[in-house]
Amino acid sequence: SGNALEVLATVNQVVVDFIKKKKPTMIEFTAEEPSRQKLYKRLTIKIVGRLGYKITKMSSDGIFRMVRK
């Protein structure tokens, strides 16, 4: 729905702002539900390209890890 897209856009912007401000060396998060895993996979790929991170883990059990290059 349109509302879900607005929420997703907001979450994406908050994450990007946090990364730009804090510049963490590593970011790791999990997703249990397959639909969330698919969504987080897309977000992770989008974020790494824009912010200078590389994916070090993206597993089928829903664990995502990015490290700063």
Side-chain angles (χ1 to χ4, degrees):
S1 74
N3 191 29
L5 290 176
E6 289 176 28
V7 170
L8 180 59
T10 300
V11 168
N12 183 60
Q13 191 59 52
V14 168
V15 170
V16 168
D17 290 347
F18 172 82
I19 292 170
K20 285 180 177 180
K21 182 177 181 182
K22 299 292 184 176
K23 297 178 176 62
T25 56
M26 182 186 74
I27 302 164
E28 184 173 283
F29 52 94
T30 61
E32 291 185 22
E33 302 166 7
S35 62
R36 296 277 185 203
Q37 291 176 13
K38 185 177 177 181
L39 175 65
Y40 291 175
K41 180 179 178 179
R42 285 185 282 175
L43 284 175
T44 300
I45 291 168
K46 185 177 180 181
I47 287 172
V48 296
R50 290 176 36 198
L51 299 175
Y53 283 76
K54 65 180 180 177
I55 298 168
T56 59
K57 185 170 189 171
M58 192 172 348
S59 65
S60 60
D61 59 350
I63 300 172
F64 299 85
R65 183 181 306 130
M66 302 179 291
V67 295
R68 195 170 41 184
K69 291 182 182 177

